[in-house]
Amino acid sequence: FRANWQELTGADFYIVEVSEVADFRTFVSGFSGLRLNSINVEVTGLDAGKTYFYRIKGVRGNFTTDYSNIVTVTTRNFT
């Protein structure tokens, strides 16, 4: 799936986290605090028919926003 979010004016970069659990105790490989300069990212290597969660926060200098609302995505089941 492609995770998307709105640009935050003045943000230097964004932190993205993707998890299989809504409390983010664990993370999808490569998506624990992933730092990005864009407003979207392709999340790959996931299981079909499974639910995932993602959240974003913006960073500017030494300041960070709170995490966004959690977005829930269920991948397609190809059976």
Side-chain angles (χ1 to χ4, degrees):
F1 71 88
R2 179 171 291 278
N4 300 287
W5 54 94
Q6 291 184 331
E7 181 177 358
L8 179 62
T9 302
D12 295 327
F13 60 92
Y14 303 92
I15 301 292
V16 181
E17 295 184 335
V18 181
S19 181
E20 296 177 357
V21 291
D23 64 5
F24 291 85
R25 285 177 292 142
T26 60
F27 299 94
V28 170
S29 180
F31 288 91
S32 172
L34 177 64
R35 181 178 167 159
L36 294 172
N37 293 320
S38 64
I39 58 168
N40 60 66
V41 63
E42 191 71 28
V43 182
T44 60
L46 306 176
D47 295 328
K50 191 165 186 178
T51 300
Y52 294 91
F53 306 90
Y54 74 90
R55 63 185 181 182
I56 312 295
K57 67 179 173 179
V59 179
R60 181 175 183 179
N62 293 327
F63 301 98
T64 62
T65 65
D66 291 334
Y67 278 105
S68 66
N69 292 331
I70 295 170
V71 179
T72 304
V73 176
T74 300
T75 57
R76 292 184 184 181
N77 194 342
F78 292 104
T79 59

Coordinates of all heavy atoms in Angstrom, one line a residue:
F1 N 0.8 -1.2 0.0 CA 0.0 0.0 0.0 C 0.9 1.2 0.0 O 2.1 1.2 0.3 CB -1.0 0.0 1.2 CG -0.4 0.2 2.5 CD1 -0.2 1.5 3.1 CD2 0.0 -0.9 3.3 CE1 0.3 1.7 4.3 CE2 0.5 -0.7 4.6 CZ 0.7 0.6 5.1
R2 N 0.3 2.3 -0.4 CA 1.0 3.6 -0.4 C 0.4 4.4 0.8 O -0.7 4.7 0.8 CB 0.8 4.4 -1.7 CG 1.6 5.7 -1.7 CD 1.6 6.4 -3.0 NE 2.4 5.7 -4.0 CZ 3.8 5.8 -4.0 NH1 4.4 6.6 -3.2 NH2 4.5 5.1 -4.9
A3 N 1.3 4.8 1.7 CA 0.9 5.7 2.8 C 1.1 7.1 2.3 O 2.1 7.5 1.8 CB 1.8 5.4 4.0
N4 N 0.1 7.9 2.5 CA 0.0 9.3 2.1 C -0.3 10.2 3.3 O -1.1 9.8 4.1 CB -1.0 9.5 1.0 CG -0.8 8.7 -0.2 OD1 0.1 8.9 -1.0 ND2 -1.6 7.6 -0.4
W5 N 0.1 11.4 3.2 CA -0.3 12.4 4.2 C -0.1 13.8 3.6 O 0.5 14.0 2.6 CB 0.5 12.3 5.5 CG 2.0 12.3 5.3 CD1 2.8 13.4 5.4 CD2 2.9 11.2 4.9 NE1 4.1 13.1 5.1 CE2 4.2 11.7 4.8 CE3 2.7 9.9 4.7 CZ2 5.3 10.9 4.5 CZ3 3.8 9.1 4.4 CH2 5.0 9.6 4.3
Q6 N -0.8 14.8 4.3 CA -0.7 16.2 3.8 C 0.6 16.8 4.2 O 1.2 16.5 5.3 CB -1.8 17.0 4.4 CG -3.2 16.6 3.8 CD -4.3 17.5 4.3 OE1 -4.2 18.0 5.4 NE2 -5.3 17.7 3.5
E7 N 1.1 17.6 3.4 CA 2.4 18.4 3.7 C 2.1 19.3 4.9 O 1.1 19.9 5.0 CB 2.8 19.2 2.4 CG 4.1 20.0 2.7 CD 4.5 20.7 1.4 OE1 3.8 20.6 0.4 OE2 5.5 21.4 1.5
L8 N 3.1 19.3 5.7 CA 3.1 20.2 6.9 C 4.0 21.3 6.6 O 5.3 21.1 6.4 CB 3.6 19.4 8.1 CG 3.7 20.2 9.4 CD1 2.3 20.7 9.8 CD2 4.3 19.3 10.5
T9 N 3.5 22.5 6.4 CA 4.3 23.7 6.1 C 5.4 23.9 7.0 O 5.3 23.9 8.3 CB 3.4 25.0 6.1 OG1 2.3 24.8 5.2 CG2 4.2 26.2 5.7
G10 N 6.6 24.0 6.5 CA 7.8 24.2 7.3 C 8.5 22.9 7.8 O 9.6 23.0 8.4
A11 N 7.9 21.8 7.5 CA 8.6 20.5 8.0 C 9.9 20.3 7.3 O 9.9 20.4 6.1 CB 7.6 19.4 7.9
D12 N 10.9 19.9 8.0 CA 12.2 19.5 7.4 C 12.1 18.1 6.8 O 12.7 17.8 5.8 CB 13.3 19.6 8.4 CG 13.6 21.0 8.9 OD1 13.4 22.0 8.1 OD2 14.0 21.2 10.0
F13 N 11.4 17.2 7.6 CA 11.2 15.8 7.2 C 10.1 15.2 8.0 O 9.5 15.9 8.9 CB 12.5 15.0 7.3 CG 13.0 14.9 8.7 CD1 12.7 13.9 9.5 CD2 14.0 15.9 9.1 CE1 13.3 13.8 10.8 CE2 14.5 15.8 10.4 CZ 14.2 14.8 11.2
Y14 N 9.7 14.0 7.7 CA 8.6 13.3 8.4 C 9.2 12.0 8.9 O 10.1 11.4 8.3 CB 7.5 13.0 7.4 CG 6.9 14.2 6.8 CD1 7.4 14.7 5.6 CD2 5.9 15.0 7.4 CE1 6.9 15.9 5.0 CE2 5.4 16.2 6.8 CZ 5.9 16.6 5.6 OH 5.5 17.7 5.1
I15 N 8.6 11.5 10.0 CA 8.9 10.2 10.6 C 7.7 9.3 10.4 O 6.5 9.7 10.7 CB 9.2 10.3 12.1 CG1 10.4 11.2 12.4 CG2 9.4 8.9 12.7 CD1 11.7 10.7 11.9
V16 N 7.9 8.2 9.8 CA 6.8 7.2 9.5 C 7.0 5.9 10.2 O 8.1 5.4 10.3 CB 6.8 6.9 7.9 CG1 5.6 6.0 7.6 CG2 6.7 8.2 7.1
E17 N 5.9 5.4 10.8 CA 6.0 4.1 11.5 C 4.8 3.3 11.0 O 3.7 3.8 10.8 CB 5.8 4.3 13.0 CG 7.1 5.0 13.6 CD 7.0 5.1 15.1 OE1 6.0 5.1 15.7 OE2 8.1 5.3 15.6
V18 N 5.1 2.0 10.7 CA 4.1 1.1 10.2 C 4.2 -0.2 11.1 O 5.3 -0.7 11.4 CB 4.3 0.6 8.7 CG1 3.2 -0.3 8.3 CG2 4.3 1.9 7.8
S19 N 3.0 -0.6 11.6 CA 3.0 -1.7 12.5 C 1.8 -2.7 12.2 O 0.9 -2.4 11.5 CB 2.7 -1.2 13.9 OG 2.7 -2.2 14.9
E20 N 2.0 -3.9 12.7 CA 0.9 -4.9 12.6 C -0.1 -4.8 13.8 O -1.1 -5.5 13.8 CB 1.5 -6.3 12.5 CG 2.3 -6.6 11.3 CD 2.9 -7.9 11.3 OE1 2.8 -8.7 12.3 OE2 3.6 -8.3 10.3
V21 N 0.3 -4.0 14.8 CA -0.5 -3.8 16.0 C -0.8 -2.3 16.2 O 0.1 -1.5 16.0 CB 0.1 -4.5 17.2 CG1 0.1 -6.0 17.1 CG2 1.5 -4.0 17.4
A22 N -2.0 -2.0 16.6 CA -2.5 -0.6 16.7 C -1.7 0.2 17.8 O -1.7 1.4 17.8 CB -4.0 -0.6 17.0
D23 N -1.1 -0.5 18.8 CA -0.3 0.2 19.8 C 1.1 0.4 19.5 O 1.9 0.9 20.3 CB -0.5 -0.5 21.2 CG 0.1 -1.9 21.2 OD1 0.8 -2.3 20.2 OD2 0.0 -2.6 22.2
F24 N 1.6 -0.1 18.3 CA 2.9 0.2 17.8 C 4.0 -0.4 18.7 O 5.1 0.1 18.8 CB 3.2 1.6 17.5 CG 2.4 2.1 16.3 CD1 1.1 2.6 16.5 CD2 2.9 2.1 15.0 CE1 0.3 3.0 15.4 CE2 2.2 2.6 13.9 CZ 0.9 3.0 14.1
R25 N 3.7 -1.5 19.3 CA 4.7 -2.2 20.1 C 5.8 -2.8 19.3 O 6.9 -3.0 19.7 CB 4.1 -3.3 21.0 CG 3.3 -2.9 22.2 CD 2.7 -4.0 22.9 NE 1.6 -4.6 22.0 CZ 1.3 -5.9 21.9 NH1 2.0 -6.8 22.6 NH2 0.4 -6.2 21.1
T26 N 5.4 -3.2 18.0 CA 6.4 -3.8 17.1 C 6.1 -3.1 15.7 O 5.1 -2.4 15.5 CB 6.1 -5.3 16.9 OG1 4.8 -5.5 16.4 CG2 6.3 -6.1 18.2
F27 N 7.1 -3.2 14.9 CA 7.1 -2.5 13.6 C 7.3 -3.4 12.4 O 8.1 -4.4 12.5 CB 8.1 -1.3 13.6 CG 7.9 -0.3 14.7 CD1 8.5 -0.5 15.9 CD2 7.0 0.7 14.5 CE1 8.3 0.4 16.9 CE2 6.7 1.6 15.5 CZ 7.4 1.5 16.7
V28 N 6.8 -3.0 11.3 CA 7.1 -3.7 10.0 C 8.6 -3.4 9.7 O 9.0 -2.2 9.9 CB 6.2 -3.2 8.9 CG1 6.6 -3.7 7.6 CG2 4.7 -3.6 9.2
S29 N 9.3 -4.4 9.3 CA 10.7 -4.2 9.0 C 11.0 -3.0 8.1 O 10.3 -2.8 7.0 CB 11.3 -5.4 8.3 OG 12.6 -5.3 8.0
G30 N 11.9 -2.1 8.5 CA 12.2 -0.9 7.8 C 11.3 0.3 8.0 O 11.5 1.4 7.5
F31 N 10.3 0.1 8.9 CA 9.3 1.2 9.1 C 9.2 1.6 10.6 O 8.1 1.9 11.1 CB 8.0 0.9 8.5 CG 8.0 0.9 7.0 CD1 8.3 -0.2 6.3 CD2 7.7 2.1 6.3 CE1 8.3 -0.2 4.9 CE2 7.8 2.1 5.0 CZ 8.1 1.0 4.2
S32 N 10.3 1.5 11.3 CA 10.3 2.0 12.7 C 11.1 3.3 12.7 O 12.3 3.3 12.6 CB 11.0 1.0 13.6 OG 11.2 1.5 14.8
G33 N 10.4 4.4 12.7 CA 11.0 5.7 12.7 C 11.7 6.1 11.3 O 12.7 6.7 11.3
L34 N 11.1 5.6 10.2 CA 11.6 5.9 8.9 C 11.6 7.4 8.6 O 10.5 8.0 8.7 CB 10.9 5.1 7.8 CG 11.3 5.4 6.4 CD1 12.7 4.9 6.2 CD2 10.3 4.7 5.5
R35 N 12.7 8.0 8.3 CA 12.8 9.4 8.0 C 12.6 9.6 6.5 O 13.4 9.1 5.7 CB 14.2 9.9 8.5 CG 14.4 11.3 8.3 CD 15.7 11.7 8.8 NE 16.1 13.0 8.4 CZ 17.0 13.8 9.0 NH1 17.6 13.4 10.1 NH2 17.3 15.0 8.5
L36 N 11.7 10.5 6.1 CA 11.4 10.8 4.7 C 11.2 12.3 4.5 O 10.8 13.0 5.3 CB 10.1 10.1 4.3 CG 10.0 8.6 4.3 CD1 8.6 8.1 4.0 CD2 11.0 8.1 3.2
N37 N 11.6 12.7 3.3 CA 11.4 14.1 2.9 C 10.2 14.2 2.0 O 9.8 15.4 1.6 CB 12.6 14.6 2.1 CG 13.8 14.7 3.0 OD1 13.7 15.1 4.1 ND2 15.0 14.3 2.5
S38 N 9.5 13.1 1.6 CA 8.3 13.2 0.8 C 7.1 13.0 1.6 O 7.1 12.8 2.8 CB 8.4 12.1 -0.3 OG 8.4 10.8 0.4
I39 N 5.9 13.2 1.0 CA 4.6 13.1 1.7 C 3.9 11.7 1.3 O 2.7 11.6 1.5 CB 3.7 14.3 1.4 CG1 3.5 14.4 -0.1 CG2 4.3 15.5 2.0 CD1 2.3 15.4 -0.4
N40 N 4.7 10.7 0.9 CA 4.1 9.4 0.7 C 5.3 8.4 0.6 O 6.4 8.8 0.4 CB 3.3 9.3 -0.6 CG 4.0 9.7 -1.8 OD1 4.9 8.9 -2.2 ND2 3.7 10.8 -2.4
V41 N 4.9 7.2 0.9 CA 5.9 6.1 0.8 C 5.2 4.8 0.5 O 4.0 4.5 0.9 CB 6.7 5.9 2.1 CG1 5.8 5.5 3.3 CG2 7.8 4.9 2.0
E42 N 5.8 4.0 -0.4 CA 5.3 2.7 -0.7 C 5.7 1.7 0.3 O 6.9 1.5 0.6 CB 5.8 2.2 -2.1 CG 5.1 1.0 -2.7 CD 3.7 1.3 -3.1 OE1 3.3 2.5 -3.4 OE2 2.9 0.4 -3.1
V43 N 4.7 1.0 1.0 CA 5.0 0.0 2.0 C 4.9 -1.3 1.3 O 3.8 -1.7 0.9 CB 4.0 0.2 3.2 CG1 4.4 -0.8 4.3 CG2 4.1 1.6 3.7
T44 N 6.0 -2.1 1.3 CA 6.0 -3.3 0.5 C 6.4 -4.5 1.5 O 6.8 -4.3 2.6 CB 7.0 -3.3 -0.7 OG1 8.3 -3.0 -0.2 CG2 6.6 -2.2 -1.6
G45 N 6.4 -5.7 0.9 CA 6.8 -6.9 1.7 C 5.8 -7.3 2.7 O 6.1 -7.9 3.7
L46 N 4.5 -6.9 2.5 CA 3.5 -7.2 3.5 C 2.7 -8.5 3.2 O 2.7 -8.9 2.0 CB 2.5 -6.1 3.6 CG 3.1 -4.7 3.9 CD1 2.0 -3.6 3.8 CD2 3.8 -4.7 5.2
D47 N 2.0 -9.1 4.1 CA 1.2 -10.2 3.9 C -0.2 -9.8 3.3 O -0.7 -8.8 3.7 CB 0.9 -11.0 5.2 CG 2.2 -11.6 5.8 OD1 3.1 -11.9 5.0 OD2 2.3 -11.6 7.0
A48 N -0.7 -10.7 2.4 CA -2.0 -10.4 1.8 C -3.1 -10.6 2.8 O -3.0 -11.5 3.7 CB -2.2 -11.3 0.6
G49 N -4.2 -9.8 2.8 CA -5.3 -10.0 3.6 C -5.1 -9.7 5.1 O -5.8 -10.2 6.0
K50 N -4.1 -8.9 5.4 CA -3.7 -8.5 6.8 C -3.9 -7.0 7.0 O -3.7 -6.2 6.1 CB -2.3 -9.0 7.0 CG -1.9 -8.9 8.5 CD -0.6 -9.7 8.7 CE -0.3 -9.7 10.2 NZ 0.9 -10.5 10.5
T51 N -4.2 -6.7 8.2 CA -4.4 -5.3 8.6 C -3.1 -4.7 9.2 O -2.4 -5.4 10.0 CB -5.5 -5.2 9.7 OG1 -6.8 -5.7 9.1 CG2 -5.8 -3.7 10.1
Y52 N -2.8 -3.5 8.7 CA -1.6 -2.8 9.2 C -2.1 -1.4 9.6 O -3.1 -0.9 9.3 CB -0.6 -2.7 8.1 CG 0.0 -4.0 7.7 CD1 -0.6 -4.8 6.7 CD2 1.1 -4.5 8.3 CE1 -0.1 -6.0 6.3 CE2 1.6 -5.7 8.0 CZ 1.0 -6.5 7.0 OH 1.5 -7.7 6.6
F53 N -1.2 -0.7 10.4 CA -1.5 0.6 10.9 C -0.3 1.5 10.6 O 0.9 1.0 10.7 CB -1.7 0.5 12.4 CG -2.7 -0.5 12.8 CD1 -2.4 -1.8 13.1 CD2 -4.1 -0.1 12.9 CE1 -3.4 -2.7 13.4 CE2 -5.0 -1.0 13.2 CZ -4.7 -2.3 13.5
Y54 N -0.5 2.8 10.3 CA 0.6 3.7 10.2 C 0.3 5.0 10.8 O -0.9 5.4 11.0 CB 1.1 3.8 8.7 CG 0.3 4.6 7.8 CD1 0.5 5.9 7.6 CD2 -0.7 3.9 6.9 CE1 -0.3 6.7 6.6 CE2 -1.4 4.6 6.0 CZ -1.2 6.0 5.9 OH -1.9 6.7 4.9
R55 N 1.4 5.7 11.2 CA 1.3 7.1 11.7 C 2.5 7.9 11.3 O 3.5 7.3 10.9 CB 1.1 7.0 13.2 CG 2.3 6.4 13.9 CD 2.1 6.3 15.4 NE 3.3 5.7 16.1 CZ 3.3 5.5 17.4 NH1 2.3 5.7 18.2 NH2 4.4 5.0 17.9
I56 N 2.3 9.2 11.3 CA 3.3 10.1 10.8 C 3.5 11.2 11.9 O 2.6 11.6 12.5 CB 2.8 10.8 9.5 CG1 2.3 9.8 8.5 CG2 3.9 11.7 8.9 CD1 3.2 8.8 8.0
K57 N 4.7 11.8 11.9 CA 4.9 13.0 12.6 C 5.9 13.9 11.8 O 6.7 13.4 11.1 CB 5.4 12.8 14.1 CG 6.7 12.2 14.3 CD 7.0 12.1 15.7 CE 8.3 11.4 16.0 NZ 8.6 11.3 17.5
G58 N 5.7 15.2 11.9 CA 6.6 16.1 11.2 C 7.7 16.6 12.2 O 7.6 16.7 13.4
V59 N 8.9 16.9 11.5 CA 10.0 17.4 12.3 C 10.5 18.7 11.6 O 10.7 18.8 10.4 CB 11.1 16.4 12.3 CG1 12.3 16.9 13.1 CG2 10.7 15.1 12.9
R60 N 10.8 19.7 12.5 CA 11.4 20.9 12.0 C 12.4 21.3 13.0 O 12.1 21.7 14.2 CB 10.3 22.0 11.8 CG 11.0 23.3 11.3 CD 10.0 24.4 11.0 NE 10.6 25.5 10.5 CZ 10.0 26.6 10.1 NH1 8.7 26.7 10.2 NH2 10.7 27.6 9.7
G61 N 13.7 21.3 12.6 CA 14.7 21.6 13.6 C 14.7 20.6 14.8 O 14.7 19.4 14.6
N62 N 14.6 21.2 16.0 CA 14.6 20.4 17.2 C 13.1 20.1 17.7 O 12.9 19.5 18.7 CB 15.3 21.0 18.3 CG 16.8 21.1 18.1 OD1 17.4 20.2 17.5 ND2 17.5 22.2 18.5
F63 N 12.2 20.5 16.9 CA 10.8 20.4 17.3 C 10.1 19.3 16.4 O 10.3 19.1 15.2 CB 10.0 21.7 17.1 CG 10.6 22.8 17.8 CD1 11.5 23.7 17.3 CD2 10.3 23.0 19.2 CE1 12.0 24.7 18.0 CE2 10.9 24.0 19.9 CZ 11.7 24.9 19.3
T64 N 9.2 18.5 17.1 CA 8.4 17.5 16.4 C 7.0 17.7 16.8 O 6.6 18.1 17.9 CB 8.9 16.0 16.8 OG1 8.6 15.9 18.2 CG2 10.3 15.8 16.5
T65 N 6.1 17.3 15.8 CA 4.7 17.3 16.1 C 4.3 16.1 16.9 O 5.1 15.1 17.0 CB 3.9 17.3 14.8 OG1 4.1 16.1 14.1 CG2 4.3 18.5 13.9
D66 N 3.1 16.0 17.4 CA 2.6 14.8 17.9 C 2.4 13.8 16.7 O 2.3 14.3 15.5 CB 1.2 15.0 18.6 CG 1.4 15.8 19.9 OD1 2.5 15.7 20.5 OD2 0.4 16.4 20.2
Y67 N 2.2 12.5 17.0 CA 1.9 11.6 15.9 C 0.5 12.0 15.3 O -0.3 12.4 16.1 CB 1.9 10.2 16.3 CG 3.3 9.6 16.4 CD1 4.0 9.4 17.6 CD2 4.0 9.2 15.2 CE1 5.3 8.9 17.6 CE2 5.3 8.7 15.2 CZ 5.9 8.6 16.4 OH 7.2 8.0 16.4
S68 N 0.4 11.7 14.0 CA -1.0 11.8 13.4 C -1.9 10.8 14.0 O -1.6 9.9 14.8 CB -0.8 11.5 11.9 OG -0.5 10.2 11.7
N69 N -3.2 11.0 13.6 CA -4.1 9.9 13.9 C -3.6 8.6 13.2 O -3.0 8.7 12.2 CB -5.5 10.2 13.3 CG -6.2 11.4 14.1 OD1 -5.9 11.6 15.2 ND2 -7.0 12.1 13.4
I70 N -3.9 7.5 13.8 CA -3.5 6.2 13.2 C -4.4 5.9 12.0 O -5.6 6.0 12.1 CB -3.6 5.1 14.3 CG1 -2.6 5.4 15.4 CG2 -3.3 3.7 13.7 CD1 -2.7 4.5 16.6
V71 N -3.8 5.5 10.9 CA -4.5 5.1 9.7 C -4.4 3.5 9.6 O -3.4 2.9 9.8 CB -3.9 5.7 8.5 CG1 -4.6 5.2 7.2 CG2 -3.8 7.2 8.6
T72 N -5.6 2.9 9.4 CA -5.7 1.5 9.3 C -5.8 1.1 7.8 O -6.6 1.7 7.1 CB -6.9 1.0 10.0 OG1 -6.8 1.4 11.4 CG2 -7.0 -0.5 10.0
V73 N -5.0 0.1 7.4 CA -5.1 -0.4 6.0 C -5.1 -1.9 6.0 O -4.4 -2.5 6.8 CB -3.8 0.1 5.2 CG1 -3.8 -0.5 3.8 CG2 -3.7 1.6 5.2
T74 N -6.0 -2.5 5.2 CA -6.0 -3.9 5.1 C -5.6 -4.2 3.6 O -6.1 -3.7 2.7 CB -7.4 -4.5 5.3 OG1 -7.8 -4.2 6.7 CG2 -7.4 -6.0 5.2
T75 N -4.5 -5.1 3.5 CA -4.0 -5.4 2.2 C -5.0 -6.4 1.5 O -5.8 -7.1 2.2 CB -2.6 -6.1 2.3 OG1 -2.7 -7.2 3.2 CG2 -1.6 -5.1 2.8
R76 N -4.9 -6.4 0.2 CA -5.8 -7.3 -0.6 C -5.4 -8.7 -0.4 O -4.3 -9.1 -0.3 CB -5.7 -6.9 -2.1 CG -6.3 -5.6 -2.4 CD -6.2 -5.4 -3.9 NE -6.7 -4.1 -4.2 CZ -6.8 -3.6 -5.4 NH1 -6.4 -4.3 -6.4 NH2 -7.2 -2.4 -5.6
N77 N -6.5 -9.6 -0.4 CA -6.2 -11.0 -0.4 C -6.4 -11.6 -1.8 O -7.5 -11.4 -2.4 CB -7.3 -11.6 0.6 CG -6.9 -13.1 1.0 OD1 -6.1 -13.7 0.3 ND2 -7.5 -13.5 2.0
F78 N -5.4 -12.1 -2.3 CA -5.3 -12.6 -3.7 C -5.7 -14.0 -3.9 O -5.3 -14.6 -4.9 CB -4.0 -12.3 -4.3 CG -3.7 -10.8 -4.5 CD1 -2.9 -10.2 -3.6 CD2 -4.4 -10.1 -5.5 CE1 -2.7 -8.8 -3.8 CE2 -4.2 -8.7 -5.6 CZ -3.3 -8.1 -4.8
T79 N -6.4 -14.6 -3.0 CA -6.8 -16.0 -3.1 C -8.1 -16.2 -3.9 O -8.9 -15.3 -4.0 CB -7.0 -16.7 -1.7 OG1 -7.9 -16.0 -1.0 CG2 -5.6 -16.8 -1.0

